[in-house]
Amino acid sequence: MAIKLGKLVFAVLAILFLVAPLIAILPLAFTSSVILTYPIPSWSLRWFEELFTADAWRRAIINSLIIGTGTTLLATVLGTAASLGLRNRLIFFRGSIRTLFLLPMVVPAVVLGVGMQVLLARFGLANSYAGVIIAHTVVAVPFVVVSITGALAGIDERVERAAESLGASPATVFRRVTLPLAMPGVLSGAVLAFATSLDEVVLTLFVAGPNQRTLARQMFSSIRENISPAIAAAAFLFIAATLLVGFVVVLSRFMLRKRQQA
Amino acid sequence: MAEFIRFDRITKFYGPLCVVENLDLGIDKGEFVSLLGPSGSGKTTILMMLAGFEQPTAGTILLDGVAINDVPTHKRDMGVVFQSYALFPHMSVGENVAFPLQMRGMGKAEIGERVARALDMVQLSALADRRPSQLSGGQQQRVALSRALVFEPRVVLMDEPLGALDKQLREQMQLDIRDLHRRLGLTIVFVTHDQSEALTMSDRVAVFNKGKIEQIGTPRQVYDEPATRFVAEFIGETNLVEGVVETVQGEEATVRLPSGVQIVSAISGAVTSGQPVLLSIRPERVDLTETRGEARNVLETEVTDSVYQGDHLRVQLQNAAHPLIAKLGRKSREFQPGTKVYAAFSARDCRVVAS
């Protein structure tokens, strides 16, 4: 009994430890005060208004959406292609190549950022949307690869062989059988890619110019310049968007599974 | 009948491992041929090469006189049925069966009509809108079967399609497939490790061992006239008794057993006198009598055990030199252990195989 209670208390404390920063910041989004601090004098939505009307914030939100969408598309396509390639048993050093694809997850972002800036400048892509999208894609691809590789591993190879024997060319097999069956993995991969791009600060600091200021970057700089509760509002927006996207994925996976069974 | 499929000196290596060795095999149009063998005997590899999933290391596969080594799977026009069913989980039963027709660019109306007919053929018309996961194993395999037949392929390949089904269902499906084969005049290549399945369904059975054909022939031939020890042991149950050939006269040989008894037996291949051989005697061909009868071959034995098995009585016997098993019809009387009996069989009911 005591042990059980102990476990419960520990679990609650651990969760609290993880979400404490959120609890600290979220109520401040609704403050009417002009500084980011407790206590909250009264409730207001003025900082959300600020977020959508102030030019810097509005631009940041739009930039985040543009870069996030671009990253999602590029990373999903590349990640899908990589996962399909990694399925081929005839590839030499398959394990090593797979590890290579996952490397950006563990390489320090600072190192990547420096290298990326030098490289992009060389190709004339510094301070451009394309540059930021490429940089974000590098760190997003591993998540896509992990997600889609898992989904592909769940596909019975004989199902694809059956399709081939029934007259489907390799391209048709991919379109009609492999891709639909891997769809849940592709979807989660895409969402992870979008989330990664949304959240990415370090690389953005290195490669983005003043015109590509993303929401995360804007929060980072404004917390140093003026500690306005607009940051809390932006954080709230962030979390809401993440939850929404996560919910969409869970829902779409559920629908896919239902379609496969119903 | 014209030869339809030909394996011309096919060899297949997986790395250093030779799985099929110099295979020569011809299959006629409309024929049902089983590739029978234990796992690892190369039978599935042969089927996969015919389907185009694997490439032979050497040799040519001909379909209707044309080499198809370089023809990709999707252009070979062969229906494949897998043991794992391999249905498309994201499509309904009807969509599964329609798939090969869509691949052939058929019109919607014709597809609908053909799918209906194909599902009707396997008695699944009522389940066309279900997902494969909602069907039982037997139903799924019938969907796979109708999907493989709906586009009227030139050859139907089956890779242990009934292996995952329970015994009763399996026997029913054996008869169903046999019936479809006869009605539609299909050419079927059927891989199995189940000898009774091969005997039930096939026009011819090719018995494989270690990548080579041990024997090919009608079910009656491979069962009654096994060419090798492997075939005799793999198909059905048999008594194998060592002996030495004394004389050969035409289709028969006289074999002396270690106990000194002489047995007259049919022979499959060439044997010479003095050659050590094995005699294969099918248990159900052995008669037990208390007095030495007229039969040409008689062994003096003692009953060690007798087991009633419903449809037959299984009697274990011990001769001076070797054990023997006899299966007797259900009308046979019981035998008490210790009883001395004569085991008799005709020359036609035993077979000399190389040892």
Side-chain angles (χ1 to χ4, degrees):
Chain A
M1 190 60 204
I3 293 177
K4 222 172 177 179
L5 197 72
K7 275 184 185 170
L8 193 72
V9 171
F10 181 75
V12 170
L13 285 177
I15 292 172
L16 215 60
F17 171 72
L18 292 175
V19 300
L22 296 185
I23 296 172
I25 189 83
L26 287 186
L28 288 173
F30 299 95
T31 186
S32 59
S33 156
V34 290
I35 45 168
L36 188 67
T37 178
Y38 285 101
I40 295 167
S42 69
W43 302 103
S44 146
L45 287 175
R46 61 180 281 202
W47 295 111
F48 285 96
E49 215 180 301
E50 159 95 8
L51 215 54
F52 290 111
T53 48
D55 198 41
W57 284 107
R58 234 188 49 222
R59 287 259 314 275
I61 292 173
I62 292 169
N63 278 342
S64 267
L65 288 177
I66 292 173
I67 292 166
T69 309
T71 303
T72 305
L73 289 177
L74 191 59
T76 306
V77 170
L78 289 179
T80 306
S83 310
L84 285 172
L86 286 171
R87 258 182 122 195
N88 191 340
R89 265 191 237 104
L90 297 176
I91 289 184
F92 291 110
F93 308 117
R94 192 159 65 130
S96 320
I97 294 177
R98 192 196 305 274
T99 313
L100 216 60
F101 272 106
L102 306 184
L103 220 51
M105 267 204 267
V106 289
V107 170
V110 184
V111 178
L112 264 182
V114 174
M116 201 72 77
Q117 205 206 18
V118 173
L119 200 69
L120 290 176
R122 179 124 204 173
F123 289 105
L125 286 172
N127 303 341
S128 72
Y129 282 105
V132 182
I133 289 174
I134 289 171
H136 283 190
T137 298
V138 169
V139 285
V141 158
F143 295 101
V144 180
V145 169
V146 167
S147 172
I148 299 182
T149 306
L152 287 176
I155 299 177
D156 184 354
E157 205 187 354
R158 281 166 296 197
V159 171
E160 292 167 285
R161 283 188 160 189
E164 216 180 319
S165 77
L166 295 169
S169 64
T172 312
V173 173
F174 174 72
R175 196 168 47 82
R176 292 285 309 268
V177 179
T178 314
L179 192 58
L181 289 177
M183 213 28 146
V186 175
L187 276 180
S188 341
V191 167
L192 286 171
F194 188 79
T196 308
S197 165
L198 211 59
D199 189 43
E200 174 51 52
V201 181
V202 182
L203 282 177
T204 315
L205 281 174
F206 278 99
V207 300
N211 286 330
Q212 290 89 38
R213 213 159 241 237
T214 61
L215 193 55
R217 167 88 170 78
Q218 173 66 19
M219 285 169 77
F220 179 76
S221 51
S222 62
I223 200 157
R224 287 185 313 173
E225 291 155 14
N226 58 335
I227 309 181
S228 110
I231 296 171
F236 184 87
L237 210 63
F238 241 108
I239 289 164
T242 311
L243 285 180
L244 185 74
V245 169
F247 179 71
V248 167
V249 169
V250 170
L251 196 72
S252 62
R253 291 187 82 142
F254 177 74
M255 299 287 276
L256 271 177
R257 190 164 316 144
K258 212 171 162 195
R259 219 184 68 203
Q260 269 171 33
Q261 279 163 7
Chain B
M1 261 195 281
E3 192 170 77
F4 193 51
I5 302 167
R6 161 131 304 263
F7 291 92
D8 187 20
R9 280 166 294 149
I10 292 290
T11 298
K12 174 72 182 174
F13 277 89
Y14 283 128
L17 188 71
C18 181
V19 282
V20 177
E21 195 181 335
N22 214 12
L23 171 79
D24 266 308
L25 173 64
I27 294 168
D28 290 335
K29 193 162 192 149
E31 200 179 17
F32 192 131
V33 173
S34 288
L35 311 183
L36 174 67
S39 56
S41 59
K43 55 193 191 318
T44 296
T45 306
I46 292 164
L47 200 75
M48 293 299 122
M49 287 193 285
L50 187 53
F53 299 133
E54 301 279 355
Q55 282 296 317
T57 311
T60 317
I61 302 174
L62 299 154
L63 180 65
D64 214 2
V66 181
I68 56 167
N69 286 36
D70 297 327
V71 178
T73 300
H74 67 277
K75 290 187 180 149
R76 289 200 184 186
D77 205 22
M78 295 181 182
V80 185
V81 182
F82 295 88
Q83 181 179 358
S84 58
Y85 320 133
L87 296 175
F88 306 129
H90 57 303
M91 300 182 197
S92 72
V93 166
E95 286 164 349
N96 263 280
V97 179
F99 186 85
L101 303 177
Q102 290 165 355
M103 292 303 115
R104 283 161 180 76
M106 230 171 246
K108 264 210 172 124
E110 196 185 353
I111 290 180
E113 200 178 298
R114 283 229 207 174
V115 168
R117 237 187 306 146
L119 285 177
D120 190 44
M121 187 175 70
V122 292
Q123 292 108 47
L124 285 176
S125 305
L127 304 179
D129 296 327
R130 299 272 187 95
R131 295 274 159 187
S133 55
Q134 293 171 303
L135 305 184
S136 71
Q139 288 170 331
Q140 289 189 43
Q141 196 54 290
R142 267 150 57 203
V143 175
L145 194 62
S146 93
R147 186 181 67 176
L149 297 181
V150 69
F151 61 102
E152 291 165 11
R154 295 205 279 179
V155 187
V156 180
L157 310 180
M158 303 195 185
D159 185 13
E160 310 221 10
L162 310 180
L165 306 180
D166 63 53
K167 187 166 177 287
Q168 252 181 351
L169 199 54
R170 197 160 64 221
E171 284 169 359
Q172 181 56 46
M173 287 286 287
Q174 286 172 9
L175 297 178
D176 287 351
I177 292 174
R178 199 166 89 129
D179 180 53
L180 281 174
H181 166 244
R182 292 202 179 142
R183 254 191 312 142
L184 308 177
L186 302 167
T187 307
I188 298 182
V189 185
F190 189 99
V191 162
T192 180
H193 65 264
D194 181 339
Q195 41 101 6
S196 83
E197 195 165 282
L199 296 182
T200 305
M201 306 171 75
S202 326
D203 294 324
R204 279 195 300 158
V205 180
V207 186
F208 280 84
N209 185 30
K210 295 177 184 159
K212 284 184 177 169
I213 294 185
E214 290 268 335
Q215 186 177 4
I216 179 160
T218 62
R220 193 172 283 276
Q221 280 169 343
V222 292
Y223 187 83
D224 287 346
E225 303 161 16
T228 66
R229 172 184 189 161
F230 178 83
V231 176
E233 281 185 306
F234 192 75
I235 300 188
E237 191 182 13
T238 196
N239 294 293
L240 286 176
V241 182
E242 285 177 15
V244 177
V245 178
E246 295 242 295
T247 55
V248 183
Q249 312 94 16
E251 296 285 292
E252 288 182 348
T254 307
V255 177
R256 176 186 289 276
L257 303 189
S259 56
V261 181
Q262 287 189 340
I263 300 288
V264 182
S265 164
I267 52 176
S268 300
V271 288
T272 53
S273 48
Q275 184 182 341
V277 291
L278 288 168
L279 278 175
S280 162
I281 309 157
R282 296 288 182 196
E284 71 278 9
R285 305 285 164 84
V286 176
D287 250 340
L288 298 186
T289 55
E290 296 205 308
T291 52
R292 179 181 279 272
E294 305 279 289
R296 288 171 82 178
N297 298 318
V298 179
L299 295 170
E300 281 179 47
T301 61
E302 186 184 314
V303 176
T304 54
D305 198 5
S306 140
V307 183
Y308 178 68
Q309 298 208 309
D311 59 340
H312 70 269
L313 184 70
R314 184 186 174 86
V315 185
Q316 285 181 16
L317 307 157
Q318 182 65 45
N319 175 256
H322 51 82
L324 199 69
I325 288 167
K327 283 188 195 169
L328 304 174
R330 56 176 296 272
K331 286 188 179 144
S332 160
R333 64 182 193 79
E334 297 285 336
F335 286 91
Q336 292 304 318
T339 316
K340 299 251 189 270
V341 290
Y342 293 99
F345 46 93
S346 75
R348 279 186 302 115
D349 288 335
C350 61
R351 205 86 198 166
V352 172
V353 296
S355 67

